[in-house]
Amino acid sequence: MTFVRTVLGDIDPGAMGVTYAHEHLVIDGGRPVEMSADFLLADVDRLADELRAAAAVGLQTAIDAMPADCGRNPVKLAELSRRSGVHVVAATGLHHVKFYGAWHWSLRASEDELADLFVADIDEGIDERDYGGPIVRRTAIRAGIVKVGGSEGGPSDRDRPIFRAAAATHQRTGVPVHTHCEAGTGALEQVRLLVDAGVPASRITLSHVDKVVDRGYHRDLLGTGAFAVYDQAFRWRDRDNGTLQLLEWMAEDGVLGQVMLGMDAARQGYYAAFGGQPGLPYLLGEFSAAMQARGLDASIRRRLFVDNPSRAFAFAEVDR
Ligand SMILES: [Zn+2]
């Protein structure tokens, strides 16, 4: 029996309902916040307000995409889920290299050591100290995705062992593999590496790819059988909305069964509860209206928000 692993326990994939597929609900310090104070998302009261506002317009599940040692806080994620009633899936794995710097411990760990750390977050519980140091104290809050960050154009020498460790983690636990595509690029190279390392393409979800508004690229990456997460919808300002354009093209190409939506709203400046905009409800309000106006109707939106995530984020069956 397959399941989705949330911070409050395992649920039936059919219970996910309306899902945002790449979020940052909590960033509790770490290098991202050193880079920009706007990344700090640590105030649980305000974040719970934001999440409740999204729940009020239909949000039921959020996939949190913050992996190890860059501000992840499993206790706060669980608290937010409890207060808002929204299912939250937490991540293990490692982010893009820019969030760690050149001397991070992950660069000196072997693939097997990395896989052991990822598997422990999934099987036992996420480290309360977020793998920020050698003293690990596991919570009972378990990770439901392994997230890895790839470099522009595809996995770099630094990224490859980390991607292979994620693949090993998938094989040991059945966990879905979620990736960061830097500048939206490198998705095909990521899928090739992960598939070669034993992950079925249907267990891979590729984030940020709608930064690249190229119909052929998207046709090719969905042609692999992987899922795409379009999480740039509110970022086009005065340009034509590339996310909408891609959704239209993928509808015409008959591949919307592999596309999901997310906000990737990793800054206070994007959250109404911190005085920012557009706020977490955006995809279910303004953007859903924009989709409707372009012929992407309620049945299509149901696939993007409900049907596709329930397949993409379910654990695969494994013999253990
Ligand atoms: Zn992100």
mmCIF file with all atom_site columns, all heavy atoms in Angstrom, residues 218-235:
data_model
loop_
_atom_site.group_PDB
_atom_site.id
_atom_site.type_symbol
_atom_site.label_atom_id
_atom_site.label_alt_id
_atom_site.label_comp_id
_atom_site.label_asym_id
_atom_site.label_entity_id
_atom_site.label_seq_id
_atom_site.pdbx_PDB_ins_code
_atom_site.Cartn_x
_atom_site.Cartn_y
_atom_site.Cartn_z
_atom_site.occupancy
_atom_site.B_iso_or_equiv
_atom_site.pdbx_formal_charge
_atom_site.auth_seq_id
_atom_site.auth_comp_id
_atom_site.auth_asym_id
_atom_site.auth_atom_id
_atom_site.pdbx_PDB_model_num
ATOM 1   N N   . HIS A 1 218 ? 10.248 21.488 -22.941 1.00 0.00 ? 218 HIS A N   1
ATOM 2   C CA  . HIS A 1 218 ? 9.234  20.912 -22.051 1.00 0.00 ? 218 HIS A CA  1
ATOM 3   C C   . HIS A 1 218 ? 8.665  19.623 -22.614 1.00 0.00 ? 218 HIS A C   1
ATOM 4   O O   . HIS A 1 218 ? 8.403  18.673 -21.869 1.00 0.00 ? 218 HIS A O   1
ATOM 5   C CB  . HIS A 1 218 ? 8.140  21.945 -21.763 1.00 0.00 ? 218 HIS A CB  1
ATOM 6   C CG  . HIS A 1 218 ? 8.603  22.985 -20.794 1.00 0.00 ? 218 HIS A CG  1
ATOM 7   N ND1 . HIS A 1 218 ? 8.257  22.996 -19.469 1.00 0.00 ? 218 HIS A ND1 1
ATOM 8   C CD2 . HIS A 1 218 ? 9.468  24.021 -20.960 1.00 0.00 ? 218 HIS A CD2 1
ATOM 9   C CE1 . HIS A 1 218 ? 8.858  24.006 -18.856 1.00 0.00 ? 218 HIS A CE1 1
ATOM 10  N NE2 . HIS A 1 218 ? 9.595  24.645 -19.744 1.00 0.00 ? 218 HIS A NE2 1
ATOM 11  N N   . ARG A 1 219 ? 8.486  19.571 -23.929 1.00 0.00 ? 219 ARG A N   1
ATOM 12  C CA  . ARG A 1 219 ? 8.018  18.343 -24.565 1.00 0.00 ? 219 ARG A CA  1
ATOM 13  C C   . ARG A 1 219 ? 9.032  17.216 -24.303 1.00 0.00 ? 219 ARG A C   1
ATOM 14  O O   . ARG A 1 219 ? 8.664  16.099 -23.958 1.00 0.00 ? 219 ARG A O   1
ATOM 15  C CB  . ARG A 1 219 ? 7.876  18.599 -26.060 1.00 0.00 ? 219 ARG A CB  1
ATOM 16  C CG  . ARG A 1 219 ? 6.805  17.807 -26.733 1.00 0.00 ? 219 ARG A CG  1
ATOM 17  C CD  . ARG A 1 219 ? 6.848  18.091 -28.221 1.00 0.00 ? 219 ARG A CD  1
ATOM 18  N NE  . ARG A 1 219 ? 5.873  19.060 -28.652 1.00 0.00 ? 219 ARG A NE  1
ATOM 19  C CZ  . ARG A 1 219 ? 6.021  19.850 -29.734 1.00 0.00 ? 219 ARG A CZ  1
ATOM 20  N NH1 . ARG A 1 219 ? 7.133  19.811 -30.445 1.00 0.00 ? 219 ARG A NH1 1
ATOM 21  N NH2 . ARG A 1 219 ? 5.065  20.674 -30.078 1.00 0.00 ? 219 ARG A NH2 1
ATOM 22  N N   . ASP A 1 220 ? 10.311 17.558 -24.426 1.00 0.00 ? 220 ASP A N   1
ATOM 23  C CA  . ASP A 1 220 ? 11.364 16.554 -24.216 1.00 0.00 ? 220 ASP A CA  1
ATOM 24  C C   . ASP A 1 220 ? 11.406 16.090 -22.762 1.00 0.00 ? 220 ASP A C   1
ATOM 25  O O   . ASP A 1 220 ? 11.510 14.888 -22.484 1.00 0.00 ? 220 ASP A O   1
ATOM 26  C CB  . ASP A 1 220 ? 12.743 17.123 -24.576 1.00 0.00 ? 220 ASP A CB  1
ATOM 27  C CG  . ASP A 1 220 ? 12.924 17.276 -26.072 1.00 0.00 ? 220 ASP A CG  1
ATOM 28  O OD1 . ASP A 1 220 ? 12.063 16.770 -26.831 1.00 0.00 ? 220 ASP A OD1 1
ATOM 29  O OD2 . ASP A 1 220 ? 13.911 17.925 -26.479 1.00 0.00 ? 220 ASP A OD2 1
ATOM 30  N N   . LEU A 1 221 ? 11.324 17.041 -21.830 1.00 0.00 ? 221 LEU A N   1
ATOM 31  C CA  . LEU A 1 221 ? 11.491 16.613 -20.432 1.00 0.00 ? 221 LEU A CA  1
ATOM 32  C C   . LEU A 1 221 ? 10.253 15.844 -19.954 1.00 0.00 ? 221 LEU A C   1
ATOM 33  O O   . LEU A 1 221 ? 10.380 14.871 -19.203 1.00 0.00 ? 221 LEU A O   1
ATOM 34  C CB  . LEU A 1 221 ? 11.885 17.774 -19.520 1.00 0.00 ? 221 LEU A CB  1
ATOM 35  C CG  . LEU A 1 221 ? 10.932 18.883 -19.161 1.00 0.00 ? 221 LEU A CG  1
ATOM 36  C CD1 . LEU A 1 221 ? 10.135 18.521 -17.920 1.00 0.00 ? 221 LEU A CD1 1
ATOM 37  C CD2 . LEU A 1 221 ? 11.741 20.142 -18.875 1.00 0.00 ? 221 LEU A CD2 1
ATOM 38  N N   . LEU A 1 222 ? 9.065  16.220 -20.425 1.00 0.00 ? 222 LEU A N   1
ATOM 39  C CA  . LEU A 1 222 ? 7.881  15.440 -20.050 1.00 0.00 ? 222 LEU A CA  1
ATOM 40  C C   . LEU A 1 222 ? 7.855  14.109 -20.812 1.00 0.00 ? 222 LEU A C   1
ATOM 41  O O   . LEU A 1 222 ? 7.316  13.120 -20.313 1.00 0.00 ? 222 LEU A O   1
ATOM 42  C CB  . LEU A 1 222 ? 6.602  16.246 -20.296 1.00 0.00 ? 222 LEU A CB  1
ATOM 43  C CG  . LEU A 1 222 ? 6.494  17.493 -19.404 1.00 0.00 ? 222 LEU A CG  1
ATOM 44  C CD1 . LEU A 1 222 ? 5.315  18.365 -19.819 1.00 0.00 ? 222 LEU A CD1 1
ATOM 45  C CD2 . LEU A 1 222 ? 6.372  17.106 -17.931 1.00 0.00 ? 222 LEU A CD2 1
ATOM 46  N N   . GLY A 1 223 ? 8.500  14.098 -21.975 1.00 0.00 ? 223 GLY A N   1
ATOM 47  C CA  . GLY A 1 223 ? 8.622  12.856 -22.744 1.00 0.00 ? 223 GLY A CA  1
ATOM 48  C C   . GLY A 1 223 ? 9.411  11.774 -22.023 1.00 0.00 ? 223 GLY A C   1
ATOM 49  O O   . GLY A 1 223 ? 9.284  10.583 -22.325 1.00 0.00 ? 223 GLY A O   1
ATOM 50  N N   . THR A 1 224 ? 10.219 12.164 -21.042 1.00 0.00 ? 224 THR A N   1
ATOM 51  C CA  . THR A 1 224 ? 10.972 11.170 -20.264 1.00 0.00 ? 224 THR A CA  1
ATOM 52  C C   . THR A 1 224 ? 10.051 10.408 -19.305 1.00 0.00 ? 224 THR A C   1
ATOM 53  O O   . THR A 1 224 ? 10.418 9.365  -18.787 1.00 0.00 ? 224 THR A O   1
ATOM 54  C CB  . THR A 1 224 ? 12.072 11.832 -19.405 1.00 0.00 ? 224 THR A CB  1
ATOM 55  O OG1 . THR A 1 224 ? 11.450 12.653 -18.392 1.00 0.00 ? 224 THR A OG1 1
ATOM 56  C CG2 . THR A 1 224 ? 13.027 12.665 -20.247 1.00 0.00 ? 224 THR A CG2 1
ATOM 57  N N   . GLY A 1 225 ? 8.871  10.993 -19.005 1.00 0.00 ? 225 GLY A N   1
ATOM 58  C CA  . GLY A 1 225 ? 7.978  10.401 -18.004 1.00 0.00 ? 225 GLY A CA  1
ATOM 59  C C   . GLY A 1 225 ? 8.066  11.061 -16.649 1.00 0.00 ? 225 GLY A C   1
ATOM 60  O O   . GLY A 1 225 ? 7.303  10.739 -15.738 1.00 0.00 ? 225 GLY A O   1
ATOM 61  N N   . ALA A 1 226 ? 8.997  12.017 -16.498 1.00 0.00 ? 226 ALA A N   1
ATOM 62  C CA  . ALA A 1 226 ? 9.120  12.749 -15.220 1.00 0.00 ? 226 ALA A CA  1
ATOM 63  C C   . ALA A 1 226 ? 8.013  13.794 -15.112 1.00 0.00 ? 226 ALA A C   1
ATOM 64  O O   . ALA A 1 226 ? 7.364  14.146 -16.097 1.00 0.00 ? 226 ALA A O   1
ATOM 65  C CB  . ALA A 1 226 ? 10.487 13.425 -15.137 1.00 0.00 ? 226 ALA A CB  1
ATOM 66  N N   . PHE A 1 227 ? 7.822  14.303 -13.894 1.00 0.00 ? 227 PHE A N   1
ATOM 67  C CA  . PHE A 1 227 ? 6.877  15.396 -13.637 1.00 0.00 ? 227 PHE A CA  1
ATOM 68  C C   . PHE A 1 227 ? 7.623  16.736 -13.646 1.00 0.00 ? 227 PHE A C   1
ATOM 69  O O   . PHE A 1 227 ? 8.785  16.803 -13.248 1.00 0.00 ? 227 PHE A O   1
ATOM 70  C CB  . PHE A 1 227 ? 6.226  15.242 -12.256 1.00 0.00 ? 227 PHE A CB  1
ATOM 71  C CG  . PHE A 1 227 ? 5.235  14.110 -12.153 1.00 0.00 ? 227 PHE A CG  1
ATOM 72  C CD1 . PHE A 1 227 ? 5.652  12.828 -11.823 1.00 0.00 ? 227 PHE A CD1 1
ATOM 73  C CD2 . PHE A 1 227 ? 3.882  14.350 -12.368 1.00 0.00 ? 227 PHE A CD2 1
ATOM 74  C CE1 . PHE A 1 227 ? 4.731  11.791 -11.704 1.00 0.00 ? 227 PHE A CE1 1
ATOM 75  C CE2 . PHE A 1 227 ? 2.961  13.319 -12.254 1.00 0.00 ? 227 PHE A CE2 1
ATOM 76  C CZ  . PHE A 1 227 ? 3.381  12.036 -11.925 1.00 0.00 ? 227 PHE A CZ  1
ATOM 77  N N   . ALA A 1 228 ? 6.904  17.782 -14.059 1.00 0.00 ? 228 ALA A N   1
ATOM 78  C CA  . ALA A 1 228 ? 7.444  19.137 -13.978 1.00 0.00 ? 228 ALA A CA  1
ATOM 79  C C   . ALA A 1 228 ? 6.640  19.933 -12.963 1.00 0.00 ? 228 ALA A C   1
ATOM 80  O O   . ALA A 1 228 ? 5.420  19.793 -12.886 1.00 0.00 ? 228 ALA A O   1
ATOM 81  C CB  . ALA A 1 228 ? 7.363  19.816 -15.342 1.00 0.00 ? 228 ALA A CB  1
ATOM 82  N N   . VAL A 1 229 ? 7.340  20.764 -12.170 1.00 0.00 ? 229 VAL A N   1
ATOM 83  C CA  . VAL A 1 229 ? 6.666  21.694 -11.275 1.00 0.00 ? 229 VAL A CA  1
ATOM 84  C C   . VAL A 1 229 ? 6.855  23.099 -11.840 1.00 0.00 ? 229 VAL A C   1
ATOM 85  O O   . VAL A 1 229 ? 7.982  23.588 -11.937 1.00 0.00 ? 229 VAL A O   1
ATOM 86  C CB  . VAL A 1 229 ? 7.238  21.632 -9.843  1.00 0.00 ? 229 VAL A CB  1
ATOM 87  C CG1 . VAL A 1 229 ? 6.490  22.621 -8.939  1.00 0.00 ? 229 VAL A CG1 1
ATOM 88  C CG2 . VAL A 1 229 ? 7.156  20.220 -9.285  1.00 0.00 ? 229 VAL A CG2 1
ATOM 89  N N   . TYR A 1 230 ? 5.746  23.736 -12.235 1.00 0.00 ? 230 TYR A N   1
ATOM 90  C CA  . TYR A 1 230 ? 5.780  25.124 -12.684 1.00 0.00 ? 230 TYR A CA  1
ATOM 91  C C   . TYR A 1 230 ? 5.535  25.994 -11.446 1.00 0.00 ? 230 TYR A C   1
ATOM 92  O O   . TYR A 1 230 ? 4.451  25.992 -10.873 1.00 0.00 ? 230 TYR A O   1
ATOM 93  C CB  . TYR A 1 230 ? 4.705  25.380 -13.737 1.00 0.00 ? 230 TYR A CB  1
ATOM 94  C CG  . TYR A 1 230 ? 4.913  24.682 -15.073 1.00 0.00 ? 230 TYR A CG  1
ATOM 95  C CD1 . TYR A 1 230 ? 3.934  24.761 -16.066 1.00 0.00 ? 230 TYR A CD1 1
ATOM 96  C CD2 . TYR A 1 230 ? 6.072  23.964 -15.355 1.00 0.00 ? 230 TYR A CD2 1
ATOM 97  C CE1 . TYR A 1 230 ? 4.104  24.145 -17.302 1.00 0.00 ? 230 TYR A CE1 1
ATOM 98  C CE2 . TYR A 1 230 ? 6.254  23.344 -16.586 1.00 0.00 ? 230 TYR A CE2 1
ATOM 99  C CZ  . TYR A 1 230 ? 5.262  23.434 -17.560 1.00 0.00 ? 230 TYR A CZ  1
ATOM 100 O OH  . TYR A 1 230 ? 5.425  22.815 -18.774 1.00 0.00 ? 230 TYR A OH  1
ATOM 101 N N   . ASP A 1 231 ? 6.565  26.739 -11.048 1.00 0.00 ? 231 ASP A N   1
ATOM 102 C CA  . ASP A 1 231 ? 6.471  27.491 -9.785  1.00 0.00 ? 231 ASP A CA  1
ATOM 103 C C   . ASP A 1 231 ? 6.865  28.958 -9.962  1.00 0.00 ? 231 ASP A C   1
ATOM 104 O O   . ASP A 1 231 ? 7.250  29.626 -9.013  1.00 0.00 ? 231 ASP A O   1
ATOM 105 C CB  . ASP A 1 231 ? 7.340  26.814 -8.708  1.00 0.00 ? 231 ASP A CB  1
ATOM 106 C CG  . ASP A 1 231 ? 8.749  26.505 -9.193  1.00 0.00 ? 231 ASP A CG  1
ATOM 107 O OD1 . ASP A 1 231 ? 9.264  27.275 -10.022 1.00 0.00 ? 231 ASP A OD1 1
ATOM 108 O OD2 . ASP A 1 231 ? 9.322  25.488 -8.757  1.00 0.00 ? 231 ASP A OD2 1
ATOM 109 N N   . GLN A 1 232 ? 6.733  29.451 -11.191 1.00 0.00 ? 232 GLN A N   1
ATOM 110 C CA  . GLN A 1 232 ? 7.141  30.835 -11.485 1.00 0.00 ? 232 GLN A CA  1
ATOM 111 C C   . GLN A 1 232 ? 5.961  31.749 -11.813 1.00 0.00 ? 232 GLN A C   1
ATOM 112 O O   . GLN A 1 232 ? 6.153  32.878 -12.269 1.00 0.00 ? 232 GLN A O   1
ATOM 113 C CB  . GLN A 1 232 ? 8.118  30.843 -12.674 1.00 0.00 ? 232 GLN A CB  1
ATOM 114 C CG  . GLN A 1 232 ? 9.369  30.007 -12.436 1.00 0.00 ? 232 GLN A CG  1
ATOM 115 C CD  . GLN A 1 232 ? 10.185 30.536 -11.278 1.00 0.00 ? 232 GLN A CD  1
ATOM 116 O OE1 . GLN A 1 232 ? 10.555 31.704 -11.260 1.00 0.00 ? 232 GLN A OE1 1
ATOM 117 N NE2 . GLN A 1 232 ? 10.452 29.694 -10.294 1.00 0.00 ? 232 GLN A NE2 1
ATOM 118 N N   . ALA A 1 233 ? 4.728  31.285 -11.596 1.00 0.00 ? 233 ALA A N   1
ATOM 119 C CA  . ALA A 1 233 ? 3.534  31.953 -12.144 1.00 0.00 ? 233 ALA A CA  1
ATOM 120 C C   . ALA A 1 233 ? 3.452  33.439 -11.830 1.00 0.00 ? 233 ALA A C   1
ATOM 121 O O   . ALA A 1 233 ? 2.983  34.214 -12.657 1.00 0.00 ? 233 ALA A O   1
ATOM 122 C CB  . ALA A 1 233 ? 2.268  31.250 -11.643 1.00 0.00 ? 233 ALA A CB  1
ATOM 123 N N   . PHE A 1 234 ? 3.912  33.870 -10.640 1.00 0.00 ? 234 PHE A N   1
ATOM 124 C CA  . PHE A 1 234 ? 3.709  35.278 -10.252 1.00 0.00 ? 234 PHE A CA  1
ATOM 125 C C   . PHE A 1 234 ? 4.914  36.162 -10.530 1.00 0.00 ? 234 PHE A C   1
ATOM 126 O O   . PHE A 1 234 ? 4.964  37.319 -10.119 1.00 0.00 ? 234 PHE A O   1
ATOM 127 C CB  . PHE A 1 234 ? 3.303  35.378 -8.779  1.00 0.00 ? 234 PHE A CB  1
ATOM 128 C CG  . PHE A 1 234 ? 4.402  35.056 -7.789  1.00 0.00 ? 234 PHE A CG  1
ATOM 129 C CD1 . PHE A 1 234 ? 5.238  36.064 -7.320  1.00 0.00 ? 234 PHE A CD1 1
ATOM 130 C CD2 . PHE A 1 234 ? 4.594  33.760 -7.325  1.00 0.00 ? 234 PHE A CD2 1
ATOM 131 C CE1 . PHE A 1 234 ? 6.250  35.770 -6.403  1.00 0.00 ? 234 PHE A CE1 1
ATOM 132 C CE2 . PHE A 1 234 ? 5.600  33.469 -6.404  1.00 0.00 ? 234 PHE A CE2 1
ATOM 133 C CZ  . PHE A 1 234 ? 6.425  34.473 -5.952  1.00 0.00 ? 234 PHE A CZ  1
ATOM 134 N N   . ARG A 1 235 ? 5.901  35.658 -11.254 1.00 0.00 ? 235 ARG A N   1
ATOM 135 C CA  . ARG A 1 235 ? 7.169  36.385 -11.368 1.00 0.00 ? 235 ARG A CA  1
ATOM 136 C C   . ARG A 1 235 ? 7.393  37.076 -12.709 1.00 0.00 ? 235 ARG A C   1
ATOM 137 O O   . ARG A 1 235 ? 8.511  37.508 -12.986 1.00 0.00 ? 235 ARG A O   1
ATOM 138 C CB  . ARG A 1 235 ? 8.327  35.422 -11.113 1.00 0.00 ? 235 ARG A CB  1
ATOM 139 C CG  . ARG A 1 235 ? 8.439  34.954 -9.666  1.00 0.00 ? 235 ARG A CG  1
ATOM 140 C CD  . ARG A 1 235 ? 9.530  33.898 -9.567  1.00 0.00 ? 235 ARG A CD  1
ATOM 141 N NE  . ARG A 1 235 ? 9.927  33.628 -8.206  1.00 0.00 ? 235 ARG A NE  1
ATOM 142 C CZ  . ARG A 1 235 ? 9.337  32.754 -7.402  1.00 0.00 ? 235 ARG A CZ  1
ATOM 143 N NH1 . ARG A 1 235 ? 8.273  32.093 -7.800  1.00 0.00 ? 235 ARG A NH1 1
ATOM 144 N NH2 . ARG A 1 235 ? 9.790  32.543 -6.174  1.00 0.00 ? 235 ARG A NH2 1
#
